[in-house]
Amino acid sequence: MRLYPAIDLKDGKCVRLVQGDYNAVTVFGDTPSEMAKRWEKEGGSYIHLVDLDGAKEGRSINEAAIKSIIEAVGIPVELGGGIRTLSQIEEKLALGVNRIILGSVAVRDKALVKEAINRFGSDKIVVGVDAKEGRVAIEGWLEVTDISAVDFCLELKKLGVKTIIYTDIAKDGMMQGPNVEETKRLVEATGLRIVASGGVATLADLQAVEEAGVEGAIIGKALYLGAIDLKEAVGLFEKQQLEGGKYNAQ
């Protein structure tokens, strides 16, 4: 299981939200690139980066911070938040982002998802599926649709999507454990590579999602509060793929 230390960007700073609430924000650092270097030093092999301002505004906002992170570390970075056109995808990949996370746009514009995968490949395009009580949420979690998360993932699979980042909004930032049952249901019902996100607070939580069959797990607030030691977690759960001494992101 791959572990993804998370960095959420708001106003150029490293922050965490509670249940996606932009009014419930805690700042954990003024220099996101230094945070990224810390996670790399502690054994992180892939940075999960979210432009929170971008998710809300529908366009990239924190480009300077994103660029500084990419330049600061030697491990791959995935990015989500406000990326809604093929040209934006192309720009971010050219900037050095290893893979793009499509969110709200994937619900509204499946043709774009298909075209993005055809043009850039399924290893470069993943979809973030955020859900509340099994229903898909969009627009920075501000709107919950009547679309079932499982049904939506099955539709995405037909478009060529291979990896889903699944976040349970009710669990995110709460430090109360992930929604293992729903995550496992998604793994079994879709056969897709599922990355679990939201609520991971302990090593036992990581054990539970690993047993659910996920490809990876995103760790956010637990790292920033010191509840999980990344170095220890990497040693327990991640099987590094090394090629010539360098991490193989593919």
Side-chain angles (χ1 to χ4, degrees):
M1 181 173 71
R2 179 179 278 158
L3 302 181
Y4 298 80
I7 296 177
D8 287 2
L9 299 172
K10 189 175 188 300
D11 302 323
K13 297 176 180 179
C14 178
V15 306
R16 302 305 298 170
L17 305 184
V18 175
Q19 294 182 323
D21 184 350
Y22 283 70
N23 296 312
V25 58
T26 304
V27 176
F28 282 100
D30 292 333
T31 314
S33 59
E34 289 301 314
M35 194 64 75
K37 285 200 287 192
R38 174 186 168 184
W39 300 142
E40 180 182 37
K41 188 178 179 183
E42 291 186 17
S45 60
Y46 216 123
I47 298 287
H48 173 77
L49 192 55
V50 178
D51 182 346
L52 291 172
D53 298 307
K56 201 172 184 180
E57 299 296 326
R59 59 189 175 88
S60 184
I61 305 286
N62 290 286
E63 187 135 327
I66 293 163
K67 190 177 180 186
S68 70
I69 287 169
I70 291 166
E71 290 172 349
V73 297
I75 56 177
V77 172
E78 63 181 16
L79 172 67
I83 303 170
R84 299 182 184 178
T85 67
L86 291 169
S87 62
Q88 286 175 330
I89 293 170
E90 200 159 19
E91 285 167 14
K92 295 297 177 286
L93 291 173
L95 196 65
V97 174
N98 191 67
R99 69 182 185 187
I100 302 297
I101 305 162
L102 297 178
S104 300
V105 70
V107 178
R108 295 207 180 90
D109 192 352
K110 295 189 180 64
L112 182 135
V113 177
K114 189 174 177 62
E115 177 61 27
I117 285 173
N118 289 343
R119 188 182 297 189
F120 305 109
S122 59
D123 61 321
K124 294 294 181 185
I125 305 295
V126 301
V127 176
V129 175
D130 305 326
K132 188 172 186 179
E133 295 175 357
R135 301 286 162 181
V136 175
I138 57 174
E139 302 305 332
W141 303 352
L142 300 174
E143 179 187 338
V144 179
T145 70
D146 60 359
I147 304 165
S148 150
V150 169
D151 290 345
F152 181 47
C153 286
L154 289 171
E155 286 182 45
L156 293 170
K157 187 176 183 178
K158 289 176 185 173
L159 299 176
V161 173
K162 292 187 177 170
T163 304
I164 297 289
I165 295 172
Y166 175 69
T167 305
D168 187 294
I169 298 173
K171 297 289 187 178
D172 191 74
M174 297 300 288
M175 295 289 289
Q176 294 174 355
N179 189 334
V180 178
E181 189 178 326
E182 199 65 27
T183 304
K184 186 176 182 180
R185 194 162 79 90
L186 212 56
V187 170
E188 293 174 348
T190 67
L192 291 163
R193 292 196 292 257
I194 305 295
V195 178
S197 172
V200 169
T202 64
L203 293 174
D205 290 338
L206 289 173
Q207 181 74 43
V209 291
E210 183 183 52
E211 288 171 1
V214 300
E215 182 272 338
I218 291 167
I219 317 174
K221 188 175 278 187
L223 290 179
Y224 294 90
L225 296 180
I228 290 178
D229 179 276
L230 183 59
K231 192 172 183 180
E232 182 183 9
V234 166
L236 287 170
F237 296 101
E238 186 162 313
K239 298 173 180 68
Q240 298 268 346
Q241 298 170 19
L242 292 167
E243 218 171 70
K246 185 170 174 60
Y247 184 80
N248 174 20
Q250 304 306 323

